Amino acid sequence: MKKITIALLVLVGLSSCVSKKAEAYLFTSFREPATDGLYLASSEDGYHWKDLGGPYLKPEAGKSKIMRDPSIVKGKNDVYHMVWTTDWKGGDGFGYASSKDLIHWSEQQYIHVMKNEPEVVNVWAPEIFYDDEQDRYIIIWASTIPFRYAKGQEEEKNNHRMYYVTTKDFKTFSDTKLFFEPGFSVIDCVLLKRAKNDYVLVLKDNTRPMRNIKVAFGKTPLGPFENISEPFTAYLSEGPTVLKKDNDWLIYYDNYGAKNYKAAKTSDFKKFEDVSSQIQLPEGHKHGTITTISKKTLKALIENKK
């Protein structure tokens, strides 16, 4: 009986290893001036990224026909859902498309999330989060509505707050609501779940003195998010994205002041270690998000680009 039990444990362990090795990390990206569309990179270890090239999807949604900040999540039935910034200024929404293989995509849609705000200046960096407890997708983004909030040192047209909608099918969406109002201009937020009733919001403090990255904490994916940390990145940094690796979290971000990409490692979101010397990214890589991809899908992507 003991031998059978041990054998079963070994098989379970091997199965777990195979399962982990069967997937790689996938990093979405774009290239300036953002007119080409979606670029991709893959990684086995979360640190060293191989350029998969692009574009995989040419932007068609929005007035400007650009694709910035592509955010992707692997949802139910292994369908990838992606949203992106379509206009630097102007516009009241963001782009959306879905795919099962990252090669063949659905028809692109323009989601008018700020249609009830005629004075809205922009819709920046939408990010998708899958809420497994409510079986819904939460999409958050930054917008400026002049004279809506105290502006501090900001100009009225550069005073952002975070908003959100939810959807189960990307056909019908909830009404747009305020997601995060920290009392200062904020953009580039990324939401992640550590455990039940334990969520972290990675954010860019976009005020003139700061323009760096911090974290805040909440008990639900919709907040409220409190206990905003001190910055753990340098002045002029933005576009964070996060991946979970073993017991640590890696936070990639665009250190645009120095014109390079950096990464910080943390296990508790209180202490952060600069691991930028350990990462390798394709030249020209810009703000995107990280998800996972099966080895089968990755192989098909590589074959398709040959």
Side-chain angles (χ1 to χ4, degrees), residues 39-268:
Y39 283 76
L40 299 173
S42 65
S43 175
E44 297 285 341
D45 62 3
Y47 286 85
H48 301 87
W49 297 87
K50 179 181 178 181
D51 190 2
L52 298 177
Y56 287 88
L57 182 66
K58 291 279 291 182
E60 298 173 356
K63 295 179 181 179
S64 302
K65 300 295 186 294
I66 62 171
M67 179 183 289
R68 302 181 68 88
D69 325 312
S71 170
I72 197 166
V73 66
K74 185 163 64 173
K76 293 186 298 183
N77 302 317
D78 291 334
V79 174
Y80 290 93
H81 300 278
M82 188 173 73
V83 293
W84 63 91
T85 304
T86 61
D87 301 276
W88 183 251
K89 291 289 177 69
D92 61 7
F94 50 75
Y96 165 76
S98 63
S99 175
K100 287 190 174 182
D101 59 8
L102 302 169
I103 299 171
H104 305 94
W105 289 84
S106 68
E107 182 179 355
Q108 296 177 42
Q109 299 178 45
Y110 185 74
I111 312 299
H112 296 269
V113 290
M114 298 298 275
K115 61 185 178 182
N116 294 327
E117 295 288 353
E119 301 302 317
V120 69
V121 174
N122 55 357
V123 175
W124 277 1
E127 285 279 342
I128 301 182
F129 173 81
Y130 177 62
D131 179 6
D132 59 340
E133 295 184 26
Q134 297 289 329
D135 185 26
R136 62 182 177 177
Y137 297 90
I138 300 171
I139 307 171
I140 61 176
W141 69 90
S143 283
T144 291
I145 303 172
F147 305 103
R148 180 68 56 86
Y149 303 101
K151 66 184 182 66
Q153 298 183 34
E154 310 313 299
E155 297 177 1
E156 287 293 349
K157 293 187 176 182
N158 195 44
N159 188 26
H160 301 80
R161 296 301 186 273
M162 296 296 300
Y163 296 85
Y164 79 95
V165 292
T166 65
T167 182
K168 289 181 176 289
D169 56 10
F170 291 91
K171 295 177 181 177
T172 59
F173 296 82
S174 68
D175 291 338
T176 296
K177 294 182 180 179
L178 182 66
F179 177 75
F180 185 47
E181 207 294 73
F184 54 81
S185 181
V186 59
I187 66 171
D188 290 358
C189 289
V190 176
L191 178 61
L192 59 94
K193 180 181 181 180
R194 290 193 290 186
K196 188 175 179 62
N197 301 325
D198 185 3
Y199 295 84
V200 178
L201 188 68
V202 186
L203 61 112
K204 179 188 178 183
D205 181 337
N206 200 45
T207 55
R208 299 305 87 185
M210 303 302 291
R211 286 188 276 183
N212 46 32
I213 302 174
K214 303 176 177 180
V215 295
F217 305 89
K219 294 182 179 180
T220 81
L222 296 180
F225 291 95
E226 302 170 325
N227 300 319
I228 300 172
S229 73
E230 293 297 315
F232 64 89
T233 67
Y235 179 63
L236 299 183
S237 51
E238 64 184 11
T241 189
V242 186
L243 70 83
K244 179 73 181 297
K245 181 173 174 59
D246 302 322
N247 295 321
D248 293 316
W249 301 82
L250 291 181
I251 306 173
Y252 281 83
Y253 60 94
D254 186 349
N255 193 46
Y256 67 97
K259 297 183 179 179
N260 57 28
Y261 233 84
K262 302 192 77 171
K265 182 172 73 172
T266 183
S267 61
D268 57 9

